[in-house]
Structure formats: structure tokens, C-alpha cells
Amino acid sequence: MTEAADPVTGEWKRVSGKYVWVQLAGSLVGGVVLAAIAVVAHLVFGAGRWWAFPWIVAVVVIIWLLSTVLTPRRVRSIRYRLREDDLLFRRGIMFRRTVAVPYGRMQLIDINRGPLDRWLGLAELKFVTAAASTGVTIPGLVEADSEALRDELVALAETRRAGL
Amino acid sequence: MSEEPRITEARTPEAAHPTGLADGEWHRLHRATPLFRGGIALLAILGVIIANLRERLFEMFFPYVPGAEYEGDPIDFIVGEGLIGWTLLAVAVVIVLIVLGFWLSWRMHSFRVTDEVVEVRSGILFRTHRKARLDRVQGINIMRPLLPRLFGAAKLEVNQAGQDANVQLAYLAGGQADALRREILRLASGAQARSGGAGEVAGVASAEGVPGAGSPAARVGDLVEQRVHEFLAPELDDELATRESIVAMHPGRLLGSIVLSAGMIVLVLLGVGAAVVAILTGSIASMFFLVFPVIGVGTWMVQKFLRSLRYTIAGTPNGIRVGFGLLSTANETLPPGRIHAVHVGQSILWRGPGWFDIKINRAGSSSMKGAGGESNAVILPVGDLDDVLRVLALISPGLDPELLRAGILGTGAADDGFVCSPRRAAWFKLWAWRRNGVAVTDEAILLRRGRLYRELVIGMPARAQGVSMQQGPLLRLFSLADLQLHSVAGPISLQLGALDAIDTEALFERIAADAVAGAVRDRSHRWGAAPQGSGG
């Protein structure tokens, strides 16, 4: 393996703080959709026609509010770490998930940028292996970082190539 | 019929190339290929035409049928207008065009096998050229559908990882297909020496020499005899090493395993339900709804029975060979290092007789259907514990049989080698928490789970695509976590729920390290190359 391809191991890296805005925008859209559903449902079940209706609305609103308030913490929980031979990725506060993927298992890397991402100068990096369930998608990277990370991962995979 | 399909004519087979098909030159397929592929459709069309003219043919022999009139019948029209000559000409032209098309498609369809790739060129107007690397071969199938099989032809399929990425050589002469598979596997294995085939050359050559000798009558006789021999020969005929299947399929056990299946249970429940409805309503109308499920499940059962009746499995130097099928047969060689995960399962119904089945995850997808028409993941349709251990020894020779036994039957004894869920996991795994556990060895990760449906899943760290651990709020409350090993797409999930959180973290680190080390060490994809390290 070449020296250039050796990663600085041991440090967790976080994604850009600007990604919070992308998540909040998503949350807002979700809220609007939920409100629309609630209005329609009100016309059908509302005005005391079904006792559970206000309770359901209340629960949904509380969950939505909680999830929106927790957005910054959730974004801060997304982190990745380049170890000697594998990529470690972790996310979630309520539902935590940690994945380790050997560099040699990389099949390809995608960089996706939605309209909001583009506006904020962010990008999402997807590390694709032969297994569909691996699901290593690092969102909210600064665009230049995502490209540097992609090149680094490709170089690492090259030196540690394995079959399927 | 069995003439050697090759572009370069009259090459004497060299020692290294028993069939002469893997010599890097372009070759053609079996001459009757178009007939096997499209001929059946043609016969069907002919059949429809004859069926439609049935009454007319009937009338030809029995001239008077009262009341028989053919208003607007095309034949009356043709005869009336005096167009018989034109019609015959048109029919002749169509037949010539079809034959020409078949001949052209055969002529334009060629393949070659070099040291590194297998290539196929086909198509008349739209040419296709497919090239597949031999070191990425995931398995090689030889399929003999009934009609081609009667004519001694076989279809060879090189499976590659990826959607619709297989390379098909359809059709080859039966004996050639077997020999060609051996050659492709030898090339794929990275073996340096090519002298291994010398012994077989004589056998193949003499077998092919026989039909050529003697008078035409004797020739036909020999040919028929050869066909009959090929038809009756076991699927594991002339492989180098093991000739015997390591698992004998007893018809009784097979029948029992099919009767004691989920499909049968559903059928019985439906039957009971329909009977109850019939009694309550006093009419047997509800019974008629049973007709379709009975037909469906019945067909599935008969198919499964016929396909599995001549099931074989054996180890060869080039991997594991699995054969299925009674009338249309198929058998596949899985080279070493192509199996990503193994699943041993036993439903509660099979507990009494002590039966299990084995499925695998693999990167390639073969067009060979499994026993019940399902995807080809089952490599043991039904077997007892000894059969299972023999098959597992074939797949992963280094595993300790005692550990496997504990994994298959164990219920969580203190020191059986498995790290099990703690007692508090009973909130999540009411029945199975004692059994729910993981064992990690150098070459495999064993996940043991399920009480009513017992499962043992074996993942290979050398081919793991990653490892992950998850924890939701409920699991956190009990400081438990889920562990998952990632494998290529397949029927097997390698997830184990509700382990102790601290155990899970340790296992996660251990497996992540093993996955890296295993991938570095693993050399099984070039199994024939000079041995180095402990891989394979």
C-alpha cells in the first residue's frame, strides 16, 4: 500500500452543520403533508364523530415536534471514521446504527446532490458494496470534502482489493 | 447431429484441450440448436394448423359428412379462386426463409474460451458480443431440458455476479458440455500445469470415436445406445474425483418432507375452513373454492418431488456439484469460495423425523430453478443430521462438527461455544432467547436462532461485505443490541437480535477485524494456483 493512501486513523469526523437545514426543510415538508392529511381526516372523522381522532392528532404532532427539535442532535450524531482497513460509519440517537465495511469490498461510490444540497454546497456520499443491506450513505458533506473522501476511498480500495 | 461444432475444422484435440473447445479459437454450437430453441414453437404452430384443418382432413377420408359447410374457409377460397399454385409457393418460401433464418442464426452464433475469458457472439441483424472473465465465474450449470436431452444435447451456462450477466452456450453435445465445464473450471482455477486432463482425453476420444465406426446401420445402433446410456447415466458421471453423491435421497423421506411442508398446512387449514363453512351453511358450494389451491399446491408438490428425486451432491476438485431433475436435468458446479452464507433450517414439523434443509447465498444467479421452481438456493432439499454435517463439511471443511451440532440442535448449554442472549432478552425472544447466540471461529461466524423454526446461519468473514450493530430505544432500555453481518443478496438474512450490548460491541470489533483479515488471506477464488497461506 502506498503512503498517500494510508488514512489518518482514529478520529471521528462529523458532517457539515449546514446539513441541519436540509433536514429541517424535509421536516417542514413532512409537517405540511401531515397537516393536509389532518385537515382531510378532520372533515371525515372530526367534530366529535370519532373519539380517538384528537388523540391521534396530538400524538402525531408531539412526535413531529420532537423529531424536529432533535434534528441538530441527530445531524451531530452522524459520523464516520477511516480506520486502517475499514470504514466505520455511525448514526442515530434513538435508533443507533454502526457499520464497518472493509475498503476492499467497495464496488463503487456515488455522490448525489439534491437541490437543497446544491444550494448549500453539500453532497451525499454513498459507499456501495455487493450487499444491499450495508447502507453506508454519508449525507451532508461539504462538496470538496465529499470528492476528496471519494478519491481517498477509491485509492484505499485499490490497495486492498478483494474479490466478491 | 453430434458433429463437432467448430469454425476451425479438423483440429486434432491436444492433450491440454480434450474437447478442443477451450483452445482460444471460435467455435459453433450444436447443429440442432435452432431446432431445440425455436423448433418447439414451430411444431406447436404446425399442430394448431393441423387441428384447425381437422374436419377437412377427416372429410378427405370420409367424403360425406352431412351439414358440413365451410363458409369463408380460406381453403375453399383458395381452391375457388384457383390460387393453389401461389399458395404452395408462398408456403414453400416461408419454410425456406425459416430454415435459412435458423441456419443463419446458428452460423452467426459462435463462442470461444481463452485462458482468461469466455466470449459469445450471436445475432443476425443485432449482434451481441458478451465477454466474461473466468476468474469471476460464480458457478457453471449444465442443463438438459427433456427434448435436447433425448438428442444428447446440453446447455452450458457460466454464472456471473450481476443481474442477467450469465453466459449461455446452448446447445452443446452432452459429453462435450461436461468436458468443457471441466476445462473452463481448470482455466478459472488458475492452475499452472495443464497436464491434469491427459487421463480423461483417452476416455472422451474413444467415446466419440465409437459412433463413427462400422456400417451406417451399426452406426445408428451405436448412436441410439449412446443416447440411452447418456440418458440413464447418473448426473455425476465422469468427474475426476468423487463419483458418489454424499447424500442419498430416499423417495420416502422426500415424500414425507413435501407432505410436512407449509403448503400442505395451508391446504389442510383451508380444507378444514371450507368443511366448517359447508356444515354451517348446509351446502357444499364452499368446497369448490378449494379446487384452485389444490391444483396449485399439487403441481408444486409433484414438481418438487420429480426435481428432487434424483438429487445429488458431491465434492470435486473444482468445487461442489449439485444435480437436480428426473426428466429435464440440471447440475451445477460451484467453485470454491463462491458461497457467501449457509443456512440450515428445521421447521417444527420436521423436528420429529429429524430433517433439515440447507440454503446458500451466492453472488451469481443461475437460471436453473430450484426444487419447487423457486430460485436456486437450496443445495439440500431434505436430509438428516449426518447428511447436513457431510454437506457442511464439503462447504466449509475446517468447521468443528461438535460446534455445528451445538449450532443446529443446541438449546444454550453453558459452554457450547456460543455467546448467547441474556435472560432479559426473553422480552424480545420469548421462546428462543436461550438458543439465540453467536459463535466466531477463524473461518466462520455461526448465528444460531429460532426455537420453533430452528436456524443455524453460517457467514464467511472472508466474503462478508460488512458488519453492523443496531439499537433502538426499547433494546437500549434492556441494554441489548442487534448484530448483522452483510452478505450478497440472497434468501438468507444474517441478523441476530437481542444480544447483550457489551457482547455485541466486542463481537462487532472481532468480526470487523476478521472480515479484513479473511479477505486478505482468502485465495479460494484461484483455488488451483500454487498453494499459499491457509486460504481456501
Side-chain angles (χ1 to χ4, degrees), chain A residues 83 94 96 98 100 105 131 133, chain B residues 462 464 467-469 471 476 486:
Chain A
R83 292 203 296 192
M94 294 271 273
R96 280 187 205 153
T98 312
R105 296 306 186 192
S133 56
Chain B
V467 55
S468 66
M469 51 183 178
Q471 192 182 46
R476 176 129 18 94
H486 300 281

Side-chain angles (χ1 to χ4, degrees), chain B residues 147-186:
Chain B
L147 185 73
R149 189 169 167 223
L150 289 173
F151 288 96
K155 189 185 335 187
L156 186 134
E157 187 184 61
V158 180
N159 300 327
Q160 299 279 336
Q163 206 70 41
D164 187 28
N166 297 347
V167 179
Q168 269 203 3
L169 303 180
Y171 286 84
L172 297 166
Q176 279 185 336
D178 287 322
L180 183 59
R181 167 161 68 184
R182 215 149 48 221
E183 282 163 44
I184 293 178
L185 285 171
R186 202 193 55 240

Side-chain angles (χ1 to χ4, degrees), chain B residues 72-93:
Chain B
D73 187 310
I75 293 189
D76 277 344
F77 177 76
I78 290 164
V79 173
E81 300 284 316
L83 293 173
I84 296 177
W86 288 109
T87 312
L88 287 182
L89 188 66
V91 169
V93 166

Side-chain angles (χ1 to χ4, degrees), chain B residues 67-403:
Chain B
E69 284 174 23
Y70 312 103
E71 280 295 320
D73 187 310
I75 293 189
D76 277 344
F77 177 76
I78 290 164
V79 173
E81 300 284 316
L83 293 173
I84 296 177
W86 288 109
T87 312
L88 287 182
L89 188 66
V91 169
V93 166
V94 167
I95 289 176
V96 166
L97 278 179
I98 289 173
V99 170
L100 199 70
F102 276 3
W103 183 79
L104 257 182
S105 86
W106 171 78
R107 180 90 196 161
M108 308 283 275
H109 198 148
S110 55
F111 69 94
R112 77 172 170 185
V113 181
T114 70
D115 287 356
E116 276 164 14
V117 292
V118 46
E119 280 178 85
V120 178
R121 295 185 303 197
S122 64
I124 302 172
L125 288 177
F126 297 92
R127 300 282 287 159
T128 321
H129 190 160
R130 177 167 271 195
K131 203 183 232 185
R133 283 178 45 160
L134 289 183
D135 60 352
R136 288 284 160 120
V137 167
Q138 301 293 325
I140 303 186
N141 259 358
I142 292 181
M143 285 173 278
R144 293 180 170 87
L146 186 55
L147 185 73
R149 189 169 167 223
L150 289 173
F151 288 96
K155 189 185 335 187
L156 186 134
E157 187 184 61
V158 180
N159 300 327
Q160 299 279 336
Q163 206 70 41
D164 187 28
N166 297 347
V167 179
Q168 269 203 3
L169 303 180
Y171 286 84
L172 297 166
Q176 279 185 336
D178 287 322
L180 183 59
R181 167 161 68 184
R182 215 149 48 221
E183 282 163 44
I184 293 178
L185 285 171
R186 202 193 55 240
L187 292 172
S189 73
Q192 304 292 314
R194 298 184 140 211
S195 54
E200 324 150 41
V201 184
V204 172
S206 68
E208 284 183 1
V210 170
S215 65
R219 215 172 135 173
V220 169
D222 285 340
L223 202 62
V224 168
E225 198 176 314
Q226 193 191 343
R227 291 283 169 273
V228 170
H229 177 72
E230 272 182 23
F231 198 83
L232 297 178
E235 276 301 295
L236 299 162
D237 38 12
D238 51 354
E239 192 65 43
L240 294 167
T242 331
R243 286 169 184 245
E244 295 285 310
S245 170
I246 57 162
V247 174
M249 183 57 74
H250 309 295
R253 177 186 292 174
L254 183 59
L255 200 65
S257 75
I258 292 171
V259 168
L260 293 177
S261 62
M264 196 64 180
I265 306 289
V266 170
L267 209 60
V268 168
L269 287 180
L270 279 177
V272 170
V276 168
V277 172
I279 291 164
L280 288 181
T281 60
S283 104
I284 58 162
S286 64
M287 287 302 197
F288 289 110
F289 290 107
L290 279 180
V291 172
F292 297 104
V294 166
I295 291 174
V297 175
T299 318
W300 175 81
M301 284 179 172
V302 169
Q303 255 180 19
K304 180 154 183 162
F305 186 75
L306 286 183
R307 283 193 57 81
S308 303
L309 198 58
R310 274 185 46 173
Y311 158 83
T312 57
I313 180 166
T316 76
N318 290 323
I320 300 163
R321 189 190 249 200
V322 186
F324 277 106
L326 187 64
L327 298 175
S328 298
T329 70
N331 77 73
E332 174 163 39
T333 304
L334 290 163
R338 263 62 174 183
I339 295 175
H340 289 244
V342 188
H343 174 280
V344 183
Q346 182 186 49
S347 71
I348 183 104
L349 293 171
W350 287 13
R351 182 83 55 89
W355 295 332
F356 303 88
D357 65 355
I358 300 183
K359 285 185 283 196
I360 56 166
N361 269 6
R362 47 188 295 207
S365 61
S366 140
S367 65
M368 159 177 149
K369 289 289 179 232
E374 71 266 32
S375 70
N376 169 33
V378 178
I379 65 166
L380 178 67
V382 58
D384 59 22
L385 188 61
D386 288 339
D387 293 337
V388 167
L389 291 176
R390 272 199 298 273
V391 171
L392 290 179
L394 207 59
I395 295 171
S396 190
L399 283 173
D400 175 18
E402 278 314 306
L403 191 67

Side-chain angles (χ1 to χ4, degrees), chain A residues 83 85-86 88 90 93-103 105-107 129-135 161-164, chain B residues 138 161 340 363 461-473 476 484 486-489 508-509 512 515-516 519:
Chain A
R83 292 203 296 192
D85 291 304
D86 55 1
L88 221 54
R90 160 179 292 182
I93 37 176
M94 294 271 273
F95 295 88
R96 280 187 205 153
R97 181 165 192 267
T98 312
V99 196
V101 188
Y103 297 127
R105 296 306 186 192
M106 185 195 90
Q107 298 290 325
T129 69
S133 56
T134 322
R161 191 202 286 284
L164 257 178
Chain B
Q138 301 293 325
H340 289 244
R463 277 170 288 285
Q465 303 292 319
V467 55
S468 66
M469 51 183 178
Q470 287 103 265
Q471 192 182 46
R476 176 129 18 94
Q484 187 177 10
H486 300 281
S487 127
V488 296
F508 175 85
E509 288 300 333
V516 170

